[in-house]
Amino acid sequence: MKDNHLNSAKEVIMDWFRDRKARIEHAMDDNDIIRLHIKQSNPKVADCFVDALKELLADGLIEFKKGIMGDVYALTQAGYDFIYDGADSDYLEQAKEVIMDLFRDRKSRVGDVITSHEIIRLQNSHEPKVIDNLPKAFDSLVDSGLIELSNCLMGECYRLTQDGFDFIY
């Protein structure tokens, strides 16, 4: 049973990184660990946090770093790949959905555009691997004729085509 509690503690810690849409080197400090410990409703899981951190370190999912402001546990490449374990093609499809949903949510019509400012705002609300696939997703949607790259007053933008309009409605 202790293994179940230990695995739950490891999951809570890795979920902390996932919930923050963490990238490689994103750090968890002692205060974050204390907050997780306090929020944990199962004291047996909370009691496993130290061992969970040790196992996550041994597994290479996080690394310990000494810093000027204190010691931290930073997400490694292996940890990043673990929490975002979907196939790259899945993340590309999600990125295309994000783009087309943006047009749909704005009730866009043929010729309406997405600007670079709107693309930047997307970056705070989606998993990093989805964001990393946005350039490929835009290219794919342009290639499929759902949107087109245009020049706007503020630089480049993406314009909804008739095919894109028909696709989202």
Side-chain angles (χ1 to χ4, degrees):
M1 194 59 149
K2 181 172 166 74
D3 281 346
N4 288 342
H5 295 116
L6 179 61
N7 287 335
S8 292
K10 289 166 48 177
E11 192 173 309
V12 166
I13 293 166
M14 295 309 289
D15 283 347
W16 182 91
F17 285 105
R18 185 181 296 108
D19 292 345
R20 280 150 188 78
K21 298 166 182 51
R23 291 188 175 270
I24 299 164
E25 298 290 318
H26 191 113
M28 167 188 276
D29 64 22
D30 290 338
N31 290 327
D32 297 318
I33 295 166
I34 291 168
R35 279 191 287 278
L36 279 177
H37 190 274
I38 291 169
K39 285 182 180 179
Q40 184 49 243
S41 60
N42 184 336
K44 289 183 178 183
V45 172
D47 291 346
C48 291
F49 274 25
V50 171
D51 289 336
L53 287 167
K54 287 178 185 176
E55 283 201 15
L56 292 170
L57 285 164
D59 293 343
L61 301 179
I62 59 174
E63 62 185 350
F64 180 77
K65 293 190 169 201
K66 289 203 167 282
I68 297 170
M69 303 297 284
D71 300 337
V72 297
Y73 296 91
L75 189 66
T76 63
Q77 177 70 52
Y80 180 81
D81 292 339
F82 176 80
I83 62 175
Y84 307 115
D85 61 348
D88 285 341
S89 60
D90 293 339
Y91 288 110
L92 177 60
E93 288 306 311
Q94 289 177 39
K96 292 188 319 190
E97 287 175 24
V98 164
I99 294 165
M100 297 311 288
D101 285 348
L102 183 58
F103 279 114
R104 184 182 305 107
D105 293 345
R106 293 177 38 208
K107 299 174 179 53
S108 295
R109 296 184 174 277
V110 174
D112 287 354
V113 299
I114 293 177
T115 65
S116 57
H117 295 294
E118 291 166 306
I119 296 166
I120 291 168
R121 275 189 261 142
L122 290 175
Q123 296 183 5
N124 297 325
S125 56
H126 297 283
E127 289 182 1
K129 284 196 174 182
V130 172
I131 299 308
D132 293 345
N133 273 286
L134 283 175
K136 288 182 196 171
F138 276 109
D139 290 345
S140 176
L141 292 170
V142 168
D143 290 345
S144 65
L146 299 179
I147 61 175
E148 60 188 16
L149 183 62
S150 296
N151 288 318
C152 297
L153 293 174
M154 304 292 277
E156 289 184 341
C157 60
Y158 292 91
R159 189 173 306 278
L160 188 65
T161 64
Q162 181 66 53
D163 287 346
F165 181 77
D166 294 340
F167 177 81
I168 61 175
Y169 300 111

